[in-house]
Amino acid sequence: MAAFTWDDLRVVLAIESSGTALGAAKQLDVSHSTVLRRLATLELALDTKLFRRSEGRLIVSPPAAALIAKARSIAEALDALPQLIDGPHSELEGIVRVAAPHALICHALTDAFADFRNTHPSIRIALCADMQFDEFRRGHADVALRISLAVPNELGIRRLCDYRFALYARDDLALRLREGATLAEMPFILLSDASREMPERKWMVSLAKGRAPAVEASSTVSLRAAVASGLGVGVLPCYVGDALPGVTRIEMGPAAPREGIYLITHPTQSKLARSRAVADFLVKFIARNRDMFSGVRRS
């Protein structure tokens, strides 16, 4: 039997996570040819095909399912090893990695953590924008805020508050709508196809009724800038759109998506004093700003 190494198994996990050899190469920061070579080595050693191709993606073959499950548990155990050294009685110092959507980091968390640093100057915060969930699951971050996405049962999860979206336009475009223009006459901005499963994109598509967008944006941050520039109407989280000067919220049916903000922690990291301090701070920060995230308007 041909020999194989842990690096070969890491390639298999990356392919299973990304669905392509190229995606695995980017995830592991290696060349495409390295991924293909390591996959071939493992398949030769095991004398079986680990993936089948379907609609341009690599799908795990039935014989590979058990292997991948075992490899994932090994990866999680390896990633947890540093925590054994740090122990549950760590003092309030060291680094805590916080994963969150890019927009949430830019438009809420950076200001919040300025206050946190005043209280805990020895805890260093690493902000990880739009981290892939598999990376978080393998321990590449300690605490995460996510928007209404399912997570495995072995992770700690806590729903913090509602998270609402709405339609926004620069004031001059909003005035046209108030004066009788219809949404069908307005240019609009759409998240790019890579975000096609996001609820805010699906809602904008339903409002557009088959029309092509004037602009596509690859992220909420760039969509925000496009709305502020008057390039069209667009869907934004209420906490982003309501704080944008010169921009108006437009209320219209069907009902806008209402999701939720969730705090997620690993069982191992949650035992560390510094991670608990960050998690507790985030819970209190979201609670104080519940109305902002859920789009509540005060009269």
Side-chain angles (χ1 to χ4, degrees):
M1 176 181 288
F4 63 90
T5 69
W6 171 242
D7 285 336
D8 300 325
L9 290 173
R10 289 178 64 240
V11 163
V12 170
L13 289 176
I15 294 174
E16 188 265 344
S17 169
S18 64
T20 66
L22 184 58
K26 291 179 179 178
Q27 185 173 313
L28 297 172
D29 195 23
V30 298
S31 69
H32 185 228
S33 61
T34 296
V35 168
L36 295 177
R37 175 172 52 79
R38 290 195 177 279
L39 175 60
T41 296
L42 189 55
E43 289 182 331
L44 178 62
L46 299 174
D47 192 26
T48 188
K49 296 294 289 184
L50 299 177
F51 296 93
R52 59 180 177 83
R53 187 169 295 279
S54 176
E55 298 181 353
R57 294 181 65 80
L58 293 174
I59 308 299
V60 176
S61 66
L67 170 72
I68 287 175
K70 179 61 70 175
R72 186 180 293 117
S73 71
I74 293 171
E76 291 169 357
L78 289 173
D79 287 330
L81 285 177
Q83 306 302 332
L84 300 178
I85 299 172
D86 215 354
H89 303 296
S90 302
E91 296 182 6
L92 293 172
E93 60 182 13
I95 189 166
V96 176
R97 298 156 300 173
V98 179
H102 193 187
L104 194 58
I105 288 176
C106 291
H107 303 298
L109 295 187
T110 48
D111 288 342
F113 276 121
D115 293 335
F116 178 84
R117 289 278 297 158
N118 291 333
T119 307
H120 299 290
S122 296
I123 296 179
R124 291 182 293 129
I125 301 297
L127 296 172
C128 309
D130 294 330
M131 176 180 285
Q132 293 295 318
F133 181 66
D134 279 348
E135 293 180 85
F136 175 77
R137 188 179 183 184
R138 293 198 299 270
H140 294 183
D142 306 305
V143 179
L145 290 174
R146 286 170 68 84
I147 309 301
S148 290
L149 295 176
V151 300
N153 291 333
E154 70 265 21
L155 299 176
I157 180 168
R158 178 175 177 181
R159 192 180 195 280
L160 301 182
C161 73
D162 284 347
Y163 185 92
R164 190 190 167 200
F165 298 89
L167 195 65
Y168 292 88
R170 199 172 67 179
D171 290 346
D172 55 329
L173 296 182
L175 178 61
R176 287 173 54 191
L177 286 167
R178 287 198 297 271
E179 291 177 344
T182 66
L183 187 60
E185 299 173 84
M186 307 296 288
F188 72 95
I189 306 157
L190 188 67
L191 285 172
S192 57
D193 193 56
S195 302
R196 59 184 174 276
E197 296 303 318
M198 303 298 284
E200 63 268 41
R201 186 185 190 277
K202 291 181 178 179
W203 188 54
M204 187 71 253
V205 169
S206 72
L207 294 176
K209 300 184 186 303
R211 291 191 299 127
V215 176
E216 290 192 10
S218 63
S219 69
T220 299
V221 173
S222 55
L223 195 151
R224 172 189 180 274
V227 169
S229 297
L231 293 176
V233 299
V235 181
L236 291 168
C238 288
Y239 82 93
V240 173
D242 289 346
L244 200 51
V247 167
T248 299
R249 189 199 294 191
I250 302 164
E251 302 287 3
M252 61 173 52
R258 187 181 293 274
E259 301 294 315
I261 298 181
Y262 292 85
L263 178 80
I264 307 173
T265 56
H266 286 274
T268 51
Q269 280 89 343
S270 64
K271 296 175 182 177
L272 302 178
R274 62 174 179 266
S275 293
R276 289 200 307 273
V278 171
D280 290 345
F281 171 81
L282 289 173
V283 169
K284 292 174 183 176
F285 168 73
I286 298 295
R288 286 197 308 271
N289 294 280
R290 184 184 304 272
D291 287 352
M292 179 180 76
F293 290 112
S294 57
V296 173
R297 285 180 155 172
R298 300 190 181 278
S299 57

